[in-house]
Amino acid sequence: MEETPSVGDAPGAEDDTDLGILYGTLRGSVVGLRYYTGIVNNNEMVALQREPNNPYDKNAVKVNNVNGDQVGHIKKELAAALAGIMDNKLALVEGVVPYGAKNVFTMPVQMSFWGKAANKEAVVDQLKRHGFKLAPPLKGSECGFGSKWISGKAGPSYRAPVHAAVQLTPEQLKSEFDKLFEDLKEDDKTREMEGAEALGTRLLPHQKQALAWMVSQKMRPQDVLGGILADDMGLGKTLTTIALILTNFQDGKPLPVGKTTSERCRQESGTNSTSNVGRGQCEDPGKVMGPGASGIQRFDTTPLETSSCLPKRGQAKKRRYSGQSGERPLRQTGATSCVEEDTGFASVLFPSSACLKRQTKRKVTATTENKRLVDVPRATLIVCPLSVLSNWIDQFDQHIHRDFHVNVYVYYGSDRNKDPSVLAEQDVVLTTYNILATDYGVRGGSPLHRVRWLRIVLDEGHTIRNPSAQQTKAALCLEGHRRWVLTGTPIQNSVKDLWSLISFLKLKPFSDQEWWRRTIERPLVLGAPGALGRLQCLIRSITLRRTKTSKVKGKPVLELPERKVLIQHVTLTEEERQMYESVKKEGKAAVSRFLSEGTVLAHYADVLGVLLRLRQLCCHPRLCIDTASSLAAGNKTPEELRETLVSKMKLVLSSGSDEECAVCLESLACPVITRCAHVFCKPCIFEVIRSEQPKAKCPLCRNELRAEDLVQCPQEEETDSGDGKKSDQEWTPSSKINALMHALIELRRDDPTAKCLVVSQFTAFLSLIENPLKESGFAFTRLDGSMAQKKRAEAVQRFQSSRAGSPTVMLLSLKAGGVGLNLTAASRVFLMDPAWNPAAEEQCFDRCHRLGQSRDVVITKFIVKDSVEENMLRIQNKKRELAAGAFATRKPSANEDTRQLVIR
DNA sequence: ACCGCCGGGTGCC
DNA sequence: ACCGCCGGGTGCC
């Protein structure tokens, strides 16, 4: 009866990939408590950590509490047994102090040994050699949480009797461990805070809430603060962050955080600092103000993003946290002060300067001041994807009150100033993940990593979800007290992805991967009760997320102007129709051949090619003249095969049909093509091959799949080759171009100030459209993926300008730019050709229908009657239905839709 | 540590 | 007494 292990489905054997199985437990003792500050509570977990460089014993094993503070050491005889096991990673040793936590000299520790099934014997042996013997996992109630949690699941694979262990009393369930999560109480997220004086823009209510939340955010541990602002895009995360940065400053004086700095502040600021104390302050008198606090004292205690609280657990009372930072002043460009200028940087991006003249004067005093405050972090580092870099610059420009000046240094480009002290002097340093990562790898150390930042902000923070990616590692190594992650993506997807963020935030103890696994990942994977709740609690406590439909005080977060989508049908001319029909006929013949042969899926790329040409013909005949498609099949040399695959992949990528990888359902990252001509993200398909060993099959067509057959895209540049064509031939209009120009001219007549976006997936088409725009005297600008960052920023800036004579038309490639792209100057959108994925279109529309749009937005979609474009509309509708359905997360890939279309 | 261990002081009953 | 016993000093690894 005791021996009923169902070996067949033993989860332990499978589960040991990462998390391991439980070998057994052992009681030991922690000694030397005298000498360390870390304290533990009964039933609390501790971490065991090897200390090979201990001068007294090379076998030493440290014992740390949840907070990372050392509690003591493992007694030496036991340490001698553990050292080998731990060093060789034969087992993960986890400890729980079952009782005696208040002991002064030694305390017991219940250890659980986890690892691969294969290593169990070695571990048992090694312990035996030192006279220790593992007890079976589930003996009595002293086993600690690790074993309790997994009792239901991993138990059966082991020989221990499950029944006794599963029955946990309610008290046991409500373990000490859960209290750890209870401490992570959710903050009040509805309190509001006004922006500082230096903020030139009024905040919306939900932005005031975000600001208050960020300023007062309490989280453990005390000495690192921050969180995740995960609002939907378009709610103003950037503005809120700017507002946050501006809270550093008050009246041109620093708002200190710590005691020591506050003393200084009182002296420096004198009485005048009381004048606008209320503004830009976090109002939380109960927690924040000391008894009888005066306005100035509020400076002392108002914890800007400072924790006033927390971990009751595992934290030494004796311990005082040091190293709190003060704040540096924003320099007011009044009569008194101005900004020191030109330290020889490539770009100091605030020409908002009425103050350029006074800057030299300031320089002298600034240097001395900087010297004095040399240990006080001042600069905020903002890391973002390249695509939103210029947006940050614009937003700073736009939102800083004109009487104030903030130094923003863009750390980008080959001429970037690599002097850390120069970086540290800035108010804001802007850089990209790529720069961060490449610098980090450089010998001699990255300047960014030599600065102690006041605050680090990761924009589009989900870019660091992969813990082994260089940019993630680089981000984790940055030093700064406050750490913020901005992301528009809800962050529930993968627990693994979350760890990078948590780790970046330095949220102890979870930032330690061992603790993360132990407390979150393993319980979750093993389906421990309450595990998901804990994770949610954790996320809630550090995240602020609102969506576009969220409400503040009963009103929608954003009251955007109306948005209308019109469909404008276009009829082809006789000539165009003829061309269309002949290509269609040819394509149909090929497709029906594939159908009868049953090889549609094998000719996936070819079919897409036909569709692509049809779509191009709907726009302009010129677009598809040299899109050579090789419908001819046949036997080929490996080199020929490779080339065919590459060109097919390019076709797939440029067709705009395949923005999603069928495995991860996200846009293709590092695309590779299979022998069967299906395109996936490289990591995704490798994972498929790895997990389906020995015989992996293509997820789309179930053909054989081998790693060595995969072909990578040579260079992912913009695939359109629009440039060469325009000059050498006379341009001719098309039905669609005529329709567009008609609309544009009508619009100009009705409202000469109205601006519009002309959007296409084909940059060559945009090039063609340039001709009639010039002929009709439109001032226009252009933005596509092939443009360098600087040019893009310029294009956006020119377009957004309200100056007379500024461009009224922007030619925009559908996929250009990231989510941050802000084109609110436009109130009209002309979508020249439909996309497969309605979300791509939506995203494009949102670039003007977003925060900052004051007019109603009208979108016109040009659709050629009786053409592939009408079918695409139908597909889009299907997609929308699916996306709106209950299981919206599992949207079908573009590939699946293509198949529907073909078969139709 | 209300322990163990160490080493000095000491030494019949 | 090259012992036992006593009691003070001391204490992680």
Side-chain angles (χ1 to χ4, degrees):
Chain A
M1 155 167 170
E2 303 96 43
E3 298 286 336
T4 45
S6 46
V7 179
D9 57 354
E14 308 289 24
D15 279 355
D16 77 10
T17 43
D18 266 343
L19 297 166
I21 61 157
L22 181 59
Y23 300 155
T25 66
L26 184 65
R27 174 65 62 81
S29 46
V30 187
V31 297
L33 306 183
R34 275 257 147 185
Y35 306 96
Y36 307 98
T37 54
I39 61 167
V40 189
N41 298 296
N42 286 341
N43 283 319
E44 201 163 272
M45 296 192 260
V46 287
L48 274 55
Q49 187 189 8
R50 276 284 284 125
E51 196 183 22
N53 294 327
N54 187 300
Y56 304 96
D57 183 358
K58 63 176 168 37
N59 292 326
V61 176
K62 283 209 292 187
V63 177
N64 298 336
N65 70 10
V66 182
N67 222 19
D69 306 321
Q70 184 168 5
V71 178
H73 277 105
I74 292 291
K75 203 169 158 58
K76 61 177 182 295
E77 294 79 6
L78 179 56
L82 295 185
I85 293 172
M86 294 175 76
D87 292 343
N88 297 319
K89 300 202 162 38
L90 293 176
L92 214 70
V93 189
E94 299 180 348
V96 171
V97 173
Y99 56 86
K102 296 228 155 57
N103 293 0
V104 193
F105 304 101
T106 70
M107 60 173 69
V109 58
Q110 188 70 26
M111 290 169 294
S112 313
F113 291 72
W114 296 81
K116 293 195 166 98
N119 291 337
K120 184 174 175 184
E121 206 181 328
V123 170
V124 171
D125 260 26
Q126 165 86 352
L127 288 171
K128 200 174 188 176
R129 251 178 286 144
H130 288 83
F132 297 100
K133 189 166 175 266
L134 277 187
L138 308 158
K139 213 186 70 186
S141 57
E142 296 163 359
C143 279
F145 303 109
S147 44
K148 271 184 203 169
W149 283 351
I150 56 87
S151 58
K153 277 249 173 175
S157 70
Y158 201 70
R159 65 161 210 264
V162 185
H163 341 289
V166 176
Q167 295 169 356
L168 299 179
T169 66
E171 294 95 299
Q172 280 173 314
L173 273 177
K174 187 157 175 40
S175 63
E176 290 291 315
F177 177 71
D178 277 315
K179 287 192 209 146
L180 184 114
F181 284 88
E182 282 167 21
D183 286 346
L184 289 168
K185 282 265 164 55
E186 212 175 329
D187 295 295
D188 175 14
K189 292 175 181 174
T190 58
R191 203 172 48 207
E192 294 187 6
M193 169 175 168
E194 294 292 333
E197 220 182 333
L199 189 72
T201 305
R202 271 201 81 70
L203 296 176
L204 295 171
H206 76 276
Q207 293 165 341
K208 292 179 193 169
Q209 289 183 355
L211 180 59
W213 179 75
M214 290 175 99
V215 162
S216 68
Q217 165 77 321
K218 292 175 276 295
M219 81 184 221
R220 73 182 64 204
Q222 288 187 322
D223 47 355
V224 182
L225 309 145
I228 301 170
L229 182 57
D231 281 349
D232 254 0
M233 66 173 265
L235 295 192
K237 291 189 287 292
T238 307
L239 173 56
T240 306
T241 304
I242 291 172
L244 176 71
I245 290 169
L246 296 182
T247 59
N248 297 348
F249 309 105
Q250 194 79 58
D251 244 15
K253 295 289 175 189
L255 286 182
V257 175
K259 193 94 190 172
T260 41
T261 39
S262 63
E263 297 290 338
R264 182 174 62 227
C265 172
R266 202 175 302 164
Q267 288 156 16
E268 280 181 0
S269 53
T271 45
N272 65 358
S273 58
T274 38
S275 56
N276 60 357
V277 145
R279 212 169 128 94
Q281 290 288 303
C282 160
E283 305 201 336
D284 191 359
K287 283 175 195 148
V288 159
M289 289 174 69
S294 72
I296 298 174
Q297 273 174 322
R298 287 182 68 173
F299 276 175
D300 300 345
T301 43
T302 299
L304 292 177
E305 307 164 66
T306 304
S307 155
S308 59
C309 63
L310 284 181
K312 286 96 192 167
R313 335 206 71 252
Q315 191 185 317
K317 282 171 229 145
K318 328 158 194 177
R319 180 155 174 192
R320 278 280 139 252
Y321 283 92
S322 57
Q324 282 157 324
S325 62
E327 305 272 348
R328 293 290 333 278
L330 167 74
R331 276 63 81 59
Q332 194 162 7
T333 59
T336 43
S337 63
C338 198
V339 186
E340 77 265 37
E341 179 223 13
D342 163 44
T343 22
F345 317 159
S347 35
V348 176
L349 282 139
F350 279 94
S352 68
S353 30
C355 65
L356 277 171
K357 283 248 165 63
R358 280 176 227 129
Q359 289 174 350
T360 357
K361 172 182 137 199
R362 170 75 185 190
K363 197 168 181 175
V364 184
T365 51
T367 345
T368 47
E369 194 176 324
N370 287 343
K371 280 233 172 69
R372 193 159 56 79
L373 297 173
V374 72
D375 56 326
V376 180
R378 160 208 183 110
T380 294
L381 175 68
I382 300 174
V383 188
C384 64
L386 179 58
S387 56
V388 291
L389 191 65
S390 58
N391 183 54
W392 275 99
I393 299 168
D394 295 345
Q395 301 265 317
F396 270 108
D397 211 9
Q398 212 175 314
H399 296 303
I400 306 282
H401 191 285
R402 72 169 85 76
D403 293 345
F404 292 82
H405 184 105
V406 174
N407 280 336
V408 177
Y409 179 65
V410 178
Y411 185 76
Y412 185 78
S414 49
D415 55 349
R416 59 187 185 271
N417 189 320
K418 296 198 173 180
D419 181 348
S421 62
V422 168
L423 298 178
E425 277 167 17
Q426 307 301 314
D427 294 311
V428 175
V429 172
L430 260 170
T431 195
T432 69
Y433 287 100
N434 278 333
I435 292 287
L436 179 71
T438 44
D439 259 28
Y440 180 59
V442 156
R443 192 171 47 85
S446 153
L448 295 174
H449 290 86
R450 309 247 299 264
V451 176
R452 251 183 75 220
W453 304 96
L454 171 65
R455 178 188 297 106
I456 304 167
V457 178
L458 300 187
D459 189 18
E460 303 300 335
H462 48 267
T463 37
I464 63 154
R465 65 182 160 188
N466 178 2
S468 48
Q470 189 75 356
Q471 54 191 30
T472 307
K473 290 178 187 167
L476 295 187
C477 289
L478 289 167
E479 244 191 274
H481 267 215
R482 298 164 199 162
R483 299 163 161 258
W484 292 98
V485 170
L486 312 182
T487 175
T489 315
I491 36 140
Q492 81 294 359
N493 301 334
S494 154
V495 204
K496 276 211 164 82
D497 292 356
L498 238 175
W499 181 77
S500 295
L501 292 188
I502 301 284
S503 183
F504 168 74
L505 295 175
K506 296 215 185 296
L507 187 67
K508 284 188 198 168
F510 311 105
S511 51
D512 181 328
Q513 197 154 26
E514 186 192 320
W515 285 109
W516 175 255
R517 282 200 178 165
R518 189 173 168 185
T519 60
I520 308 276
E521 203 174 329
R522 189 196 298 144
L524 217 56
V525 169
L526 298 180
L532 192 62
R534 283 189 205 113
L535 177 64
Q536 286 165 344
C537 171
L538 175 67
I539 292 176
R540 258 203 315 278
S541 71
I542 56 169
T543 306
L544 180 64
R545 172 165 174 80
R546 280 83 51 90
T547 64
K548 280 180 189 154
T549 53
S550 299
K551 294 196 169 170
V552 173
K553 295 179 220 148
K555 289 172 111 179
V557 202
L558 286 186
E559 285 176 283
L560 286 179
E562 264 195 65
R563 197 191 85 169
K564 262 193 296 198
V565 179
L566 308 175
I567 290 183
Q568 174 75 62
H569 285 284
V570 176
T571 310
L572 295 181
T573 63
E574 270 307 309
E575 212 183 337
E576 288 168 342
R577 175 56 66 184
Q578 266 181 23
M579 221 182 298
Y580 183 92
E581 290 302 327
S582 86
V583 173
K584 181 175 162 190
K585 203 172 140 197
E586 193 184 312
K588 249 193 163 163
V591 170
S592 52
R593 194 173 73 237
F594 301 148
L595 275 173
S596 62
E597 290 170 354
T599 56
V600 178
L601 286 176
H603 290 92
Y604 175 73
D606 297 317
V607 173
L608 274 180
V610 171
L611 291 171
L612 174 64
R613 299 178 72 196
L614 291 175
R615 287 163 54 215
Q616 289 171 329
L617 281 172
C618 288
C619 293
H620 196 289
R622 180 83 60 83
L623 294 185
C624 78
I625 42 176
D626 62 353
T627 316
S629 91
S630 54
L631 288 185
N635 292 332
K636 289 179 174 166
T637 68
E639 192 41 42
E640 281 169 340
L641 186 69
R642 207 193 80 87
E643 262 170 38
T644 318
L645 285 176
V646 167
S647 71
K648 281 187 180 183
M649 174 158 48
K650 283 192 169 166
L651 191 61
V652 170
L653 291 176
S654 66
S655 71
S657 67
D658 204 4
E659 283 162 65
E660 299 156 10
C661 158
V663 178
C664 65
L665 302 178
E666 287 184 39
S667 61
L668 286 162
C670 186
V672 292
I673 189 163
T674 60
R675 181 179 274 263
C676 49
H678 296 113
V679 183
F680 304 95
C681 304
K682 189 174 173 183
C684 293
I685 200 67
F686 268 102
E687 181 55 26
V688 169
I689 293 173
R690 197 190 67 78
S691 63
E692 286 187 23
Q693 266 169 2
K695 263 213 179 312
K697 289 183 179 147
C698 171
L700 283 171
C701 67
R702 310 309 293 165
N703 269 311
E704 191 187 358
L705 190 60
R706 289 190 311 191
E708 57 270 30
D709 291 340
L710 296 176
V711 178
Q712 200 158 347
C713 194
Q715 178 56 46
E716 224 231 303
E717 351 123 9
E718 198 65 13
T719 33
D720 256 302
S721 53
D723 307 330
K725 302 177 199 166
K726 57 186 169 197
S727 53
D728 47 359
Q729 277 182 44
E730 277 286 298
W731 91 277
T732 48
S734 68
S735 302
K736 236 186 211 177
I737 288 185
N738 287 338
L740 169 71
M741 290 313 294
H742 179 80
L744 284 179
I745 287 165
E746 202 173 54
L747 177 65
R748 178 167 63 181
R749 189 195 61 210
D750 294 345
D751 180 1
T753 66
K755 296 198 177 203
C756 62
L757 305 175
V758 174
V759 182
S760 171
Q761 290 163 87
F762 309 110
T763 51
F765 192 31
L766 295 177
S767 302
L768 283 169
I769 295 173
E770 289 184 12
N771 297 297
L773 286 180
K774 283 179 198 155
E775 285 174 6
S776 302
F778 282 93
F780 65 91
T781 178
R782 174 172 172 142
L783 186 68
D784 68 50
S786 69
M787 292 162 70
Q789 184 53 33
K790 205 170 172 183
K791 288 229 160 196
R792 292 187 192 213
E794 264 171 40
V796 173
Q797 211 148 30
R798 285 206 309 133
F799 183 71
Q800 287 288 90
S801 159
S802 51
R803 210 161 28 82
S806 61
T808 54
V809 177
M810 172 178 271
L811 297 172
L812 177 67
S813 107
L814 183 79
K815 286 187 281 182
V819 284
L821 187 56
N822 186 344
L823 300 172
T824 45
S827 56
R828 294 290 303 256
V829 180
F830 295 99
L831 185 70
M832 301 310 294
D833 35 75
W836 292 108
N837 186 349
E841 291 182 4
E842 290 296 323
Q843 207 176 68
C844 175
F845 303 155
D846 281 345
R847 283 163 196 169
C848 70
H849 192 247
R850 60 184 283 168
L851 196 66
Q853 179 57 264
S854 52
R855 308 186 189 205
D856 287 347
V857 171
V858 180
I859 294 148
T860 308
K861 286 178 161 188
F862 290 110
I863 300 293
V864 170
K865 269 199 106 51
D866 305 314
S867 78
V868 61
E869 292 190 341
E870 290 193 321
N871 287 342
M872 291 176 71
L873 281 194
R874 280 199 279 276
I875 282 178
Q876 286 191 348
N877 287 333
K878 267 204 181 142
K879 277 210 171 204
R880 281 200 197 87
E881 280 167 37
L882 280 167
F887 300 102
T889 45
R890 285 245 139 211
K891 53 182 176 174
S893 71
N895 304 342
E896 284 165 350
D897 291 304
T898 316
R899 261 175 282 160
Q900 289 168 14
L901 181 79
V902 169
I903 291 161
R904 163 191 292 279

